[in-house]
Amino acid sequence: MSTYGIDLGTTYSCVARLDANGNPEVIRNNEDNSNTLASVVFFENENNVVVGQAAKENIETDGDRVVQFVKREIGKASNRTYTFDGKTYTPVEISALILARLKNIVESQGGTIDNVVITVPAYFGLEERSATKQAGELAGLNVLSLINEPTAAALSYCARQFQEDRTILVYDLGGGTFDVTVVKMSMTPNEAGGDVQKIAVLATGGDDQLGGKDWDDKLNNYILQACCDENGITASDIEAETRQDIRSKVEEAKRKLSQKEVTKVRIDVNGSRTEVVITRKDFERLTADKVAQTMNFVDSTLAKVPDAVIDTVLLVGGSTYMPMIKKAVEEKFPGKVQQHDPDQAVAKGAAIYASMLGLAIEGDAGDVEGSAGGDASEDKRAELAAKFSVEDQTPRSFGPGVIDTKGTKNKYILENFIKIGEKMPAVATKTYYPIEDNQERVRLRAFENMSTEDALIPSVDEEGNPQATDPANGVKLLGELIVNLPPNTPKTTKIEVTFKVDASGVHVEAVNTATGDKFETFLRTASDVDIEKSAVHQLRISSD
Ligand code: ADP
Ligand code: MG
């Protein structure tokens, strides 16, 4: 058996595992001569689908046959699809193609990839998480668990440089997203009487529309302008091919400026060769506002945990290779900044976590043969599992929609049993009642939302029923549980409702305390829930 960690990124993905000495290592993508795989899919024709750098190269010329940034669509209510050659793909299916390519990279080097842990942003809600898991299964992987990206980055830091109590700020600037997370590491006693290093998320923030792409766009416009100036023309004179030429050279120029002070790009401007010289200074001046924007998110995230004192700042994400980022973060946190494999740390942390879980689940013998380069031994895994414990926070608030009959007018409210940011697994129970005597059943609807309040009044339609989604508060209907009641049930009958949230989903249970009848369901996704246009079968909040 072999366990791997996968960072399924918005722009680049990465796969890693533990070597025979228990150290995380990335499986190289030899075809692209890179440690990562571009999360880009090109549907060349009905028989050929290309994933990676080769797909990326087609963005400018065959943009309508290329899918990128699919992570932004996965598990979203928009239900976006992509159609090529008469075949329609969901974001889950596109993500599965990227995961299958990673699986193929491992297998082409003689490895066997069975069990995996896939990383997700800390802010992903339940549907994004279950859709990611589904993509893994569709790619033929056994998904042991998901882990939050910053937690994985902290785990890889921790495994490399073991230190006791620490508060870490993870600054993750990727290709399309920026995430700030405050993570607390503390030594806590375990059942066996030893100590484990616990990793817990304290606060998260950021912007899912801010990333390396914004730096690319700025550089693109700069080069475009330089081409105009050099040739005495205006932007509207620039031909489509020239624009494509510039686009295709921007990212490489940006990467070069991370190493060199000056770089040159040669562009064929409407047939005449033009050389554009870009200095790092110019590039930094051009994008200073973007850097400032990330620092504002650092401040607003720190404001959520006023008592936290940051010991270390971890720079994660490919965009932190840009010297301007390190400079800005150093300025704010002098002497505290660490950068190590920024584009691989998340996958490596996931590999460590996968090994910890692999041991717990399989109790396997750490099959050293059968995979190139060796897999971590059983001892190493046992050591890791004894050394760390990971405690994530709930990414949303969760609770049922119920009728509040206390006031003069019946009101539909969402009661948040479990609030965003609580320690997972989280469990809570409350008691409700049928609306009227002799009710045959109650319809228990489960919602997620972003509110930190105890209760929330959702947007309702013209009949007073809650909307399945309400973007203002991030309200989303997750599913429902039908609780059948025996004949002649009085409205004073207590129905005990329990919500349990863990990393893989939400478990909802309802018990009729008069009969002991128990109803339960495990919610992963709301895609097949049909909202009934009636509030009569709801539960109500108080007895009267
Ligand atoms: P994701 O956003 O998918 O998690 P990464 O963390 O790998 O992806 O970040 C990808 C971003 O990092 C891209 O915008 C890429 O251009 C940028 N990047 C990678 N290497 C460098 C570098 N050496 N200098 C500047 N930017 C880089
Ligand atoms: Mg990333």
Side-chain angles (χ1 to χ4, degrees):
M1 187 208 69
S2 297
T3 51
Y4 286 77
I6 293 179
D7 170 6
L8 180 62
T10 313
T11 55
Y12 287 90
S13 297
C14 186
V15 56
R17 65 151 170 202
L18 299 195
D19 68 15
N21 298 315
N23 297 316
E25 66 174 5
V26 159
I27 314 302
R28 260 186 86 75
N29 169 13
N30 291 327
E31 199 165 296
D32 295 340
N33 192 25
S34 169
N35 286 315
T36 57
L37 173 77
S39 307
V40 183
V41 185
F42 171 46
F43 292 83
E44 186 177 31
N45 57 50
E46 57 189 311
N47 302 315
N48 197 29
V49 178
V50 183
V51 183
Q53 192 55 37
K56 206 171 166 185
E57 276 153 20
N58 282 284
I59 291 172
E60 301 308 324
T61 46
D62 300 281
D64 53 344
R65 296 189 75 90
V66 174
V67 181
Q68 52 174 345
F69 308 124
V70 72
K71 190 171 172 178
R72 287 189 176 155
E73 306 296 334
I74 200 164
K76 295 285 190 289
S78 59
N79 284 329
R80 183 163 174 195
T81 56
Y82 310 82
T83 303
F84 303 99
D85 305 308
K87 204 169 162 217
T88 297
Y89 301 82
T90 63
V92 168
E93 287 165 332
I94 304 274
S95 304
L97 291 169
I98 300 167
L99 291 166
R101 178 80 190 97
L102 289 173
K103 182 172 187 268
N104 177 257
I105 287 172
V106 171
E107 288 167 351
S108 69
Q109 294 175 42
T112 344
I113 176 164
D114 305 311
N115 296 336
V116 299
V117 164
I118 304 176
T119 64
V120 288
Y123 57 79
F124 258 21
L126 186 71
E127 282 201 79
E128 290 101 317
R129 284 167 197 263
S130 45
T132 303
K133 207 167 170 199
Q134 223 182 315
E137 282 153 10
L138 206 56
L141 301 165
N142 179 33
V143 185
L144 292 177
S145 177
L146 304 174
I147 183 174
N148 288 348
E149 286 158 13
T151 312
L155 193 55
S156 75
Y157 162 79
C158 202
R160 197 179 63 248
Q161 195 172 326
F162 190 71
Q163 272 167 319
E164 295 192 355
D165 296 358
R166 307 237 91 192
T167 302
I168 293 179
L169 185 137
V170 181
Y171 176 110
D172 181 352
L173 186 61
T177 55
F178 176 59
D179 300 305
V180 193
T181 317
V182 181
V183 181
K184 172 103 189 143
M185 299 187 176
S186 51
M187 295 303 286
T188 54
N190 66 8
E191 287 137 19
D195 282 333
V196 286
Q197 176 120 50
K198 195 175 86 182
I199 300 173
V201 174
L202 298 185
T204 59
D207 186 346
D208 65 359
Q209 304 285 330
L210 173 63
K213 189 184 173 297
D214 297 290
W215 274 257
D216 295 345
D217 289 347
K218 293 238 178 190
L219 190 55
N220 186 75
N221 294 344
Y222 178 85
I223 297 173
L224 193 74
Q225 190 54 51
C227 288
C228 290
D229 295 349
E230 194 67 29
N231 293 281
I233 53 175
T234 62
S236 57
D237 299 326
I238 300 247
E239 288 167 0
E241 291 84 55
T242 304
R243 285 176 193 275
Q244 281 171 13
D245 193 25
I246 297 173
R247 245 306 152 204
S248 66
K249 287 172 178 160
V250 160
E251 194 184 346
E252 203 194 329
K254 175 184 77 172
R255 287 177 191 246
K256 282 194 177 143
L257 286 172
S258 294
Q259 285 174 331
K260 306 191 296 177
E261 301 271 341
V262 184
T263 191
K264 291 174 192 161
V265 224
R266 284 184 192 90
I267 309 286
D268 187 11
V269 183
N270 303 355
S272 100
R273 231 166 135 72
T274 304
E275 191 174 81
V276 179
V277 177
I278 312 146
T279 66
R280 188 188 286 169
K281 258 209 179 74
D282 283 337
F283 183 45
E284 294 188 349
R285 186 178 40 75
L286 211 61
T287 53
D289 59 326
K290 291 286 153 196
V291 180
Q293 228 173 312
T294 70
M295 297 313 288
N296 288 339
F297 283 113
V298 170
D299 287 338
S300 58
T301 308
L302 283 174
K304 294 179 189 171
V305 277
D307 298 333
V309 179
I310 303 298
D311 299 303
T312 304
V313 179
L314 276 191
L315 295 184
V316 178
S319 295
T320 65
Y321 277 120
M322 293 187 290
M324 67 178 99
I325 300 297
K326 202 165 179 189
K327 242 186 284 172
V329 182
E330 267 286 349
E331 216 162 90
K332 193 173 172 65
F333 301 95
K336 294 182 173 174
V337 181
Q338 292 229 5
Q339 186 185 36
H340 204 269
D341 302 335
D343 51 355
Q344 302 162 41
V346 170
K348 286 181 172 178
I352 294 170
Y353 192 55
S355 275
M356 287 162 57
L357 295 177
L359 179 89
I361 290 173
E362 306 271 332
D364 80 299
D367 169 26
V368 178
E369 288 88 36
S371 56
D375 200 356
S377 69
E378 187 183 1
D379 285 354
K380 272 288 163 195
R381 289 176 183 208
E383 201 183 296
L384 280 172
K387 203 152 107 183
F388 300 114
S389 89
V390 171
E391 183 184 286
D392 268 332
Q393 289 182 317
T394 52
R396 294 283 187 280
S397 297
F398 296 94
V402 291
I403 306 286
D404 184 356
T405 53
K406 280 184 209 144
T408 47
K409 198 164 167 255
N410 286 355
K411 227 178 15 205
Y412 197 95
I413 63 166
L414 303 189
E415 278 224 289
N416 280 333
F417 277 31
I418 290 160
K419 297 223 206 88
I420 188 166
E422 267 181 45
K423 184 169 104 173
M424 282 200 296
V427 190
T429 303
K430 275 187 186 168
T431 304
Y432 297 104
Y433 305 86
I435 299 266
E436 55 198 15
D437 289 330
N438 308 323
Q439 198 170 310
E440 283 172 19
R441 61 197 162 109
V442 292
R443 186 177 290 272
L444 177 60
R445 286 180 185 147
F447 291 87
E448 70 172 25
N449 62 86
M450 304 281 260
S451 173
T452 51
E453 304 298 318
D454 289 337
L456 190 72
I457 300 170
S459 308
V460 291
D461 64 15
E462 61 283 357
E463 285 156 53
N465 290 301
Q467 302 296 289
T469 57
D470 174 4
N473 291 299
V475 173
K476 224 183 219 181
L477 175 70
L478 297 175
E480 63 181 17
L481 177 65
I482 300 294
V483 178
N484 292 314
L485 301 174
N488 308 319
T489 297
K491 67 175 182 176
T492 49
T493 304
K494 289 184 171 155
I495 314 279
E496 247 174 31
V497 175
T498 301
F499 270 58
K500 183 177 172 196
V501 177
D502 63 25
S504 54
V506 178
H507 185 257
V508 181
E509 189 182 290
V511 176
N512 178 342
T513 57
T515 60
D517 289 346
K518 190 162 120 181
F519 303 83
E520 57 192 326
T521 184
F522 187 73
L523 305 173
R524 286 172 216 270
T525 162
S527 47
D528 45 22
V529 179
D530 199 15
I531 282 254
E532 195 183 79
K533 286 264 168 208
S534 155
V536 275
H537 300 308
Q538 307 294 341
L539 284 176
R540 74 193 157 88
I541 250 179
S542 59
S543 168
D544 53 18

